[in-house]
Every structure is written in structure tokens, then in C-alpha cells.
Amino acid sequence: MTRDLKVPLQALRSEHRYRSRRILEGPQQPEQRIDGRSVLAFCSNDYLGLANHPQVIQALRRGADTYGVGAGAAHLVNGHTRAHHALEDELAAFTGRDRALLFSTGYMANLGVAQALLRRGDRLFEDRLNHASLIDAAMISGARLSRYRHADAGDLARRLGRTVRLDDDRDTLISTDAVFSMDGNLAPLETLASLADTHGCWLMADDAHGIGVLGQQGAGTLEYLGLTQAQVPILMGTLGKALGTSGAFVAGPDDLIETLIQSARTYIYTTAMPAAVAEATRASLHIVQQEPERRRHLRALVEHFRDGVGQLGLELMESTTPIQPIVVGASEKALQWSDALLQQGLLVPAIRPPTVPQGRARLRVTLSATHSRAQVDRLLQALAGLVGTA
Ligand SMILES: *Cc1c(COP(=O)(O)O)cnc(C)c1O
């Protein structure tokens, strides 16, 4: 006996939670053609505009000329090329960590860390708004999961105080998004680092949305907050967002990296990312470091957008990152506004419960260094029109 899959699918439809894909024709850039219409998109994670950068594309081509397309094997067999190795060294230097290790996706990196470090009965503390991949990592690790209130180090401290004994033989990991993907705010990492130190825990930061964007060099949230490897020993960064390519890395102390190589199943039992993607990422890493003006322009856009939205009397979140959600409240209203914007050629997704709390549905706007000020003004004008009709 198996259940009839039509029933739950129909239920999703009737709850307006059915999701479908739009078809994009062409590269990731502000002006796109999607589902046959031209739109100005405000939803990409390509924060620096590197996904379609000529030097990155050229590096990918050169990489394919040298290494072919597929890696053909896992890193531990014969899929680990000089290009992968060079990128790992460059990522370690970039983030100021001893070593870095490539994974094929951020999702797999998060699963791999938890599974390699934690055993059944160990403890894992996570922010309640952590990315789904960190939550799934808890399940695969077999550790006991405790989810503390969002960005609330006090709640974490109470939970640690109740459960963590320094003299037992259980290991403890605290893991958090560094930049929260639906809100754009930062985790209180300095306080988390001192809690981890006091209670003898590992601390992991998932900086998917900070790498490339935050910090003077673009090395992310930890650079921005001035946090060392001793304070935050486990850093996960993704390559598919601001770096514009694909894949992820974990950076940290030598013993951590060796442990992942020896025992992270999502590292061992999968084909290495194409070497050409590693070459393309080396090119984008170079641009991230050499062209701080991209981050400067992006910061100016964020400020301009926040000023404009504030003047309209709309509610923004506490975010200084390119993730700038506008809270509209009811799901229906978020959907209506998203649809109305699309009618005007502006692509801004509505994010609704259960992804965000009840009554906190929002338009999730993301900005990119490739947006112009005039394009942001177009969005502000359209929003002004919506406020006028509300
Ligand atoms: C996107 C994202 C991931 C997953 O990274 P992929 O490389 O896309 O698998 C993990 N964590 C956070 C916070 C993310 O936003």
C-alpha cells in the first residue's frame, strides 16, 4: 500500500502553498527574461554580480580546457585537482583560517560537519531561525538538538547551563547562521563565542550570506566582527551566492579539516566539484578582494533603499546586509503586493509562514552591486504606488 500523492498535493494547492518554478532564459543579472517576460529582479543571491562576470566565465572556460568538464571521481580517489587544492589554500588565506576544505554544496558541508563531529547523545544547539540545512544536519548527526530563541544568547546560556557538564564525555556544538537568510540580521557571534569558550563547546558560523559581502576584504561576517579562528573555529561559506559560482567550503583548524576529510560522509561519498568551477571561483575570489568598490556601491544601495522604504512608512527589519525584507503582515497581502510588482515588471518574492512566523509575511528584497540607483528607485516608486492603494 502506498498513499495517493494527489491528496497532499491538492492540499498544498488549496492552502496556497503549492510551489512552482519559473523558467529563466539567460544569466543571473538584474534585467532578466523569466517565464517569457522581461523583469527587473530583486531576489538573487548573486550579491556582487559575479555569476555572469566575463573574467569568471573566462576562467571557467580555461579550466575546462585544462581539466575537462566532470571531475570524474571523489576528492579521495582521483578527483582532487591542482585547481581545487589552490582554491582551498586561497580560501584559507582569505578567511584567515589554517585550512579550508571544498564541498560540492553548502547543504552538504553543513551535514558533513555535524555528522563528522557529533555522535549519538552529543549535543547540538541551534538558533531557531537557522537555515534548513543546519536543522537537517542535526538529524543526520544523531545529536540531541536544542533550538534557542532567535539571536538570543541569554536563552542559549540558560540552555547550556542546564545541560552541559564539562566533566562528562559528551561533545557540544553551537551552530548558527552568521547572516539570517530571511531577515538579513547578524547572529550575536561575539557573545556566542564567549559562551562557547566558557562551556567548552565548538562554535560554527554558516556565512552563506556574508562571504564576499561583509568586511573590508569581503571575508565575511567574522572579518566584519573581528572574530578569530580561536573564537569561531568552524566557518562554513558558500560559493554559489556572492562568489557567483557553485559549491562551498569549511575553514578552520588543521585537526578539524583532517577530521572532515577522514569522516564527513558528504565529503567522501560524492564526486568532486568540476575543477573548472574551482578555477572560476579563484577568479571571483580575486575580484572580491581587488574590487572593494562593489561592496561600497552595494552598501550605498542598501542605505538608499532603507531611506526610501522608511519614508513610505513601511516596516523594514534590523538589517545592514543586502537582504532587506519588507514586513507586510498577512500572507494574502504579501502575495498581492508581489503580484502587483510583477505586473509592473519587478520580481520580488513573497515569503510566508511557515518559512517566517505567522503574521510576519514579507517581501524579501535582495540587492546586488549590479543594480543601479535608478533601478532601486523604480522599485521604490512601485512600492509607493502600492502604499497609496493600501
Ligand atoms: C544557501 C544556503 C546554504 C546552502 O548552500 P548551497 O551551496 O546552496 O547548498 C546553507 N546555509 C545558508 C544560510 C544558506 O543561505
Side-chain angles (χ1 to χ4, degrees), residues 45 47 103-110 129-134 176-181 206-209 236-241 246-248 323 364:
N45 303 315
Y47 300 119
F103 281 80
S104 293
T105 69
Y107 194 108
M108 292 164 74
N110 283 343
L129 294 193
N130 271 358
H131 189 262
S133 56
L134 288 171
T176 183
D177 283 22
V179 176
F180 288 91
S181 51
D206 171 341
D207 206 17
H209 296 277
M236 197 288 287
T238 61
L239 308 175
K241 288 172 178 148
S246 183
I323 301 171
R364 182 171 177 274

Side-chain angles (χ1 to χ4, degrees), residues 72-262:
H75 283 278
L76 285 170
V77 182
N78 67 349
H80 185 68
T81 64
R82 186 156 298 289
H84 295 107
H85 208 73
L87 175 59
E88 289 181 343
D89 288 346
E90 288 160 12
L91 286 167
F94 175 58
T95 56
R97 265 63 193 161
D98 292 350
R99 286 178 70 188
L101 186 73
L102 293 174
F103 281 80
S104 293
T105 69
Y107 194 108
M108 292 164 74
N110 283 343
L111 296 189
V113 168
Q115 173 261 316
L117 291 184
L118 299 173
R119 292 149 299 174
R120 200 157 298 282
D122 286 345
R123 293 166 294 235
L124 176 53
F125 292 84
E126 299 205 20
D127 189 290
R128 234 173 242 171
L129 294 193
N130 271 358
H131 189 262
S133 56
L134 288 171
I135 304 297
D136 294 359
M139 288 192 284
I140 218 168
S141 74
R144 277 180 294 159
L145 174 65
S146 171
R147 296 171 82 181
Y148 57 90
R149 282 213 301 272
H150 174 54
D152 186 342
D155 186 35
L156 173 61
R158 280 188 293 280
R159 288 164 188 262
L160 288 168
R162 275 203 302 272
T163 45
V164 174
R165 299 275 162 274
L166 283 171
D167 56 358
D168 70 16
D169 61 353
R170 307 269 51 140
D171 289 318
T172 305
L173 171 66
I174 300 167
S175 81
T176 183
D177 283 22
V179 176
F180 288 91
S181 51
M182 292 300 138
D183 296 44
N185 61 323
L186 304 188
L189 276 159
E190 282 154 315
T191 319
L192 299 185
S194 68
L195 282 174
D197 185 45
T198 309
H199 293 272
C201 312
W202 287 306
L203 175 59
M204 171 173 185
D206 171 341
D207 206 17
H209 296 277
I211 288 287
V213 172
L214 296 178
Q216 211 63 36
Q217 295 292 311
T221 308
L222 303 184
E223 186 206 347
Y224 177 72
L225 297 174
L227 291 168
T228 61
Q229 173 174 288
Q231 291 169 291
V232 185
I234 310 168
L235 165 63
M236 197 288 287
T238 61
L239 308 175
K241 288 172 178 148
L243 276 106
T245 61
S246 183
F249 67 91
V250 175
D254 188 55
D255 286 348
L256 166 73
I257 301 303
E258 275 309 314
T259 301
L260 295 175
I261 294 172
Q262 304 308 319

Side-chain angles (χ1 to χ4, degrees), residues 301-322:
L301 289 182
V302 166
E303 276 168 36
H304 180 59
F305 179 72
R306 288 185 69 87
D307 282 351
V309 174
Q311 279 166 26
L312 295 173
L314 293 169
E315 180 186 347
L316 283 163
M317 315 239 5
E318 286 294 321
S319 165
T320 53
T321 67

